[in-house]
């Protein structure tokens, strides 16, 4: 028979497949964990940048709220090297930190994904303020602070100034120089860098609504993410190699006993020596259980082969005697017709026929033949069997048990022919050993049907009560083969009993002889109107 083609994976050994499987699982887990770690790290650093930018924006917004619109550029917080801008409602830049000084509104960079929040209604007289005022302007700031200007700016209000705590956040790309500082000098700009931009709404002291923009560089976040990603990618192959190697070694050690079992089984199959056993590892794992089960199977197989060998040898020996006797009688009859012993020839033929029938029944039982499921009344079966034995030299007495006239039938499920064979073998054995009487009883005990056959003979020694159920075993070696059986009757009786879910045991009868007790599961009582 042609074997089906194997897939490339099936051609690999178990060790290689286990190592590849473990490596693949670990690789997927590490990649997923790495993505999660990088995501958390990136999110955390981005959030840190946003918080830094928002803190700067709120500090500037707080400073802007203490000055009028035309003094925004002088807010102390704008002197730092942070990318900060203050823009009024018209888009004019009122003040900016060094990185953004002299440029247009940072909110217009990179076409933002989110529109700038609409500020409150601006004051018309302050809409024209911008950051083109020079920081070195010599105007009298004290007069403005006192409210004594010419009316170009609104008067300060005594109402508290409110700062909107809501912020708008997005990412923009700003040009940076070689030092990573934001620059708008094209000759110095060497690249662009992502900044986290935060917008906070506020108003000046003279009630001019403004928007404060502050940015924080994401260079640290990008560098950290790049470093972590590179480290994990560099270490991943080495880690996977270690996982694969360790898995291969562990699997190799675990499967080494299996290879020993395979070699021993191959040797047993090649040499047909069933007395050999596979090595059993000292562990208690699945391989050790496999080895023990294999040895138990070999033991059962050895016992079965030995039993079959003895059976064949004994059967050959038992068949040889009647066949030799028949041949001798026929040869004598051929030479001297007047000396033909017809009775002896018939006796040998009957004996040969009974032995052949016993061997055939044992062969069917060994092959696992299942008994039928017919309902058999043991009491009726005994009465029929005794009716055919009227000429026996020993009287057989049937005791009235639960079956018979005093009670209902004792029924079991099974093969009527096989159960009749059991009863016949037990009666033949009792008649052969009884001195004057054989007793039979049928009844029920604890949900079981019980059949007892007892005699008043010498009985069976206690140490031999199990051995007599072996095939071709006869205890009385002095008994001639003509009077005794072949030693198969009790073996057949027990095998049939076991096949019917019961058992057959030997003991001592009250009469002093042997007592054989057959126990079978009792059949459920038939419902009225449905019997038969």
């Amino acid at each position: 028979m042609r074997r089906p083609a194997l897939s490339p994976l099936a051609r690999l050994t178990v060790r290689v497949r286990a190592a590849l499987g473990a490596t693949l699982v670990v690789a997927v887990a590490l990649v997923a964990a790495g993505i999660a770690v990088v995501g958390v790290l990136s999110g955390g650093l981005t959030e840190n940048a946003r918080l830094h930018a928002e803190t700067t924006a709120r500090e500037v917004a707080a400073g802007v709220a203490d000055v009028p619109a035309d003094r925004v550029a002088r807010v102390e917080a704008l002197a730092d090297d942070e990318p900060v801008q203050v823009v009024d409602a018209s888009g004019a830049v009122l003040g900016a930190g060094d990185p953004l000084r002299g440029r247009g509104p940072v909110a217009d960079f990179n076409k933002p994904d989110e529109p700038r929040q609409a500020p409150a209604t601006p004051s018309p007289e302050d809409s024209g303020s911008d950051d083109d005022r020079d920081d070195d302007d010599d105007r009298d700031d004290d007069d403005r602070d006192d409210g004594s200007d010419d009316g170009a700016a609104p008067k300060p209000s005594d109402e508290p100034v409110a700062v909107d705590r809501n912020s708008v956040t997005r990412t923009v790309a700003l040009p940076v120089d070689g030092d990573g500082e934001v620059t708008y000098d094209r000759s110095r700009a060497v690249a662009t860098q992502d900044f986290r931009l935060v917008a906070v709404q506020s108003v000046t002291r003279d009630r001019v609504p403004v928007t404060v923009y502050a940015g924080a560089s994401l260079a640290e976040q990008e560098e950290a993410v790049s470093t972590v990603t590179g480290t994990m990618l560099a270490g991943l192959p080495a880690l996977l190699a270690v996982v694969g190697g360790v898995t291969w070694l562990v699997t190799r050690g675990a499967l080494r006993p299996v290879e020993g079992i395979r070699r021993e089984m191959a040797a047993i199959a090649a040499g047909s020596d069933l007395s050999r056993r596979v090595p059993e590892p000292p562990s208690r794992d699945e391989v050790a259980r496999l080895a023990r089960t294999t040895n138990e199977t070999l033991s059962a197989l050895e016992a079965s082969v030995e039993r079959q060998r003895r059976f064949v040898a004994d059967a050959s020996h038992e068949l040889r005697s009647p066949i030799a006797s028949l041949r001798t009688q026929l040869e004598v009859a051929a030479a001297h017709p007047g000396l033909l012993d017809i009775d002896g020839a018939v006796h040998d033929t009957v004996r040969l026929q009974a032995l052949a029938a016993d061997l055939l029944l044992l062969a069917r039982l060994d092959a696992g033949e299942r008994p039928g499921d017919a309902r058999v009344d043991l009491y009726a079966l005994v009465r029929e069997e005794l009716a055919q034995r009227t000429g026996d030299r020993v009287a057989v007495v049937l005791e009235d048990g639960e079956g018979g006239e005093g009670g209902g039938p004792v029924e079991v499920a099974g093969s009527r022919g096989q159960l009749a064979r059991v009863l016949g073998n037990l009666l033949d054995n009792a008649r052969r050993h009884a001195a004057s009487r054989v007793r039979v009883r049928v009844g029920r005990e604890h949900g079981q049907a019980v059949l007892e056959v007892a005699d008043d003979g010498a009985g069976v020694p206690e140490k031999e009560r199990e051995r007599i159920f072996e095939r071709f075993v006869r205890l009385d070696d002095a008994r001639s083969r003509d009077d005794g059986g072949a030693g198969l009757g009790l073996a057949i009786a027990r095998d049939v009993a076991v096949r019917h879910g019961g058992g057959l045991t030997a003991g001592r009868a009250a009469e002093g002889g042997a007592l054989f007790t057959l126990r079978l599961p009792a059949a459920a009582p038939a419902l009225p109107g449905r019997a038969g």
Side-chain angles (χ1 to χ4, degrees):
M1 182 178 179
R2 186 177 181 182
R3 294 182 178 180
L6 298 177
S7 63
L9 184 60
R11 295 189 181 98
L12 301 176
T13 63
V14 175
R15 293 191 295 268
V16 175
R17 279 183 285 175
L20 290 178
T23 303
L24 179 60
V25 171
V26 172
V28 172
L30 289 178
V31 169
I35 293 175
V37 169
V38 170
V40 172
L41 177 63
S42 177
L45 294 177
T46 301
E47 179 63 15
N48 288 340
R50 187 196 68 78
L51 291 175
H52 178 71
E54 184 175 358
T55 301
T56 302
R58 294 193 184 281
E59 290 179 355
V60 174
V64 168
D66 293 335
V67 299
D70 56 354
R71 298 290 300 276
V72 169
R74 294 181 177 272
V75 173
E76 182 179 356
L78 295 178
D80 297 333
D81 292 334
E82 299 286 347
V84 180
Q85 271 188 355
V86 182
V87 182
D88 65 7
S90 65
V93 179
L94 302 182
D98 288 342
L100 298 180
R101 187 166 296 147
R103 305 304 301 176
V106 71
D108 296 335
F109 296 166
N110 309 124
K111 296 181 180 180
D113 297 331
E114 299 179 10
R116 183 156 43 95
Q117 288 188 356
T121 304
S123 300
E125 56 269 16
D126 294 323
S127 61
S129 300
D130 56 24
D131 65 345
D132 294 335
R133 299 182 182 86
D134 187 73
D135 290 340
D136 299 328
D137 185 43
D138 295 332
R139 286 177 296 183
D140 187 2
D141 296 334
D142 296 336
D143 292 340
R144 291 183 180 273
D145 292 340
D146 296 335
S148 59
D149 67 0
D150 56 2
K155 295 181 179 180
S157 173
D158 294 333
E159 297 179 3
V161 176
V163 177
D164 187 359
R165 295 302 176 184
N166 297 320
S167 60
V168 178
T169 305
R170 62 187 178 88
T171 301
V172 298
L174 301 180
V176 295
D177 57 16
D179 297 330
E181 301 294 337
V182 178
T183 179
Y184 289 101
D185 186 350
R186 293 184 177 180
S187 62
R188 294 177 57 194
V190 296
T192 59
Q193 190 177 100
D194 288 338
F195 278 74
R196 198 64 172 167
L197 188 67
V198 176
V200 176
Q201 303 293 329
S202 183
V203 292
T204 62
R205 193 175 66 183
D206 48 4
R207 314 305 297 176
V208 175
V210 295
T211 302
V212 179
Y213 294 96
S217 174
L218 296 178
E220 180 181 353
Q221 175 255 353
E222 295 173 354
E223 181 180 359
V225 169
S226 177
T227 301
V228 171
T229 303
T231 301
M232 288 192 298
L233 291 178
L236 182 61
L239 182 58
L240 293 180
V242 171
V243 171
V246 171
T247 304
W248 190 87
L249 291 175
V250 171
T251 308
R252 177 186 179 186
L255 294 179
R256 185 178 290 112
V258 177
E259 180 60 22
I261 295 173
R262 186 203 64 78
R263 287 196 301 266
E264 190 65 25
M265 290 297 294
I268 293 173
S272 299
D273 184 6
L274 296 179
S275 63
R276 301 178 62 172
R277 297 293 181 265
V278 300
E280 295 186 13
S283 61
R284 297 183 179 180
D285 55 10
E286 293 82 354
V287 177
R289 291 197 294 269
L290 172 63
R292 286 191 290 271
T293 303
T294 302
N295 285 335
E296 292 171 359
T297 303
L298 288 174
S299 298
L301 183 60
E302 181 184 15
S304 176
V305 171
E306 181 62 25
R307 185 168 56 251
Q308 184 179 11
R309 185 182 296 113
R310 289 199 310 268
F311 177 78
V312 172
D314 292 338
S316 300
H317 178 74
E318 294 293 336
L319 289 171
R320 188 182 298 115
S321 296
I323 292 176
S325 177
L326 278 175
R327 178 180 177 178
T328 300
Q329 295 181 44
L330 292 175
E331 289 176 350
V332 170
H336 307 282
L339 300 178
L340 176 62
D341 184 5
I342 297 179
D343 292 338
V346 171
H347 176 76
D348 288 339
T349 303
V350 171
R351 181 182 174 191
L352 185 62
Q353 182 182 13
L355 181 58
D358 288 345
L359 294 176
L360 181 61
L361 178 57
L362 284 175
R364 293 203 309 266
L365 293 175
D366 290 340
E369 179 182 288
R370 298 179 63 86
D373 55 358
R375 300 176 70 91
V376 181
D377 183 0
L378 291 183
Y379 192 85
L381 186 65
V382 171
R383 295 185 62 180
E384 292 175 6
E385 182 69 20
L386 296 183
Q388 300 175 7
R389 292 175 175 265
T390 56
D392 288 352
R393 69 172 184 86
V394 178
V396 180
V397 178
L398 175 60
E399 291 185 354
D400 283 338
E402 190 172 340
E405 297 179 358
V410 181
E411 293 185 333
V412 297
S415 170
R416 184 180 184 84
Q418 292 185 8
L419 293 176
R421 187 65 174 274
V422 171
L423 176 60
N425 289 350
L426 294 178
L427 291 175
D428 287 341
N429 181 76
R431 179 186 59 82
R432 190 179 302 120
H433 295 88
S436 60
R437 182 174 180 269
V438 174
R439 175 175 55 84
V440 180
R441 186 182 74 87
V442 179
R444 288 193 186 92
E445 292 181 5
H446 308 294
Q448 289 185 319
V450 179
L451 170 64
E452 293 181 351
V453 178
D455 63 70
D456 58 352
V460 180
E462 185 175 356
K463 63 180 181 180
E464 302 288 349
R465 288 176 184 172
E466 282 298 318
R467 182 170 172 266
I468 59 175
F469 292 107
E470 297 179 7
R471 299 174 183 182
F472 300 105
V473 171
R474 284 180 298 234
L475 300 183
D476 191 358
D477 295 333
R479 183 181 293 115
S480 67
R481 294 186 181 274
D482 292 337
D483 293 335
L488 295 177
L490 294 180
I492 291 175
R494 171 167 278 189
D495 284 353
V496 171
V498 172
R499 291 293 190 281
H500 282 72
L504 178 63
T505 58
R508 181 174 181 82
E511 295 84 352
L515 171 65
F516 290 90
T517 304
L518 173 67
R519 298 181 182 274
L520 298 174
L527 296 177
R530 300 181 63 176

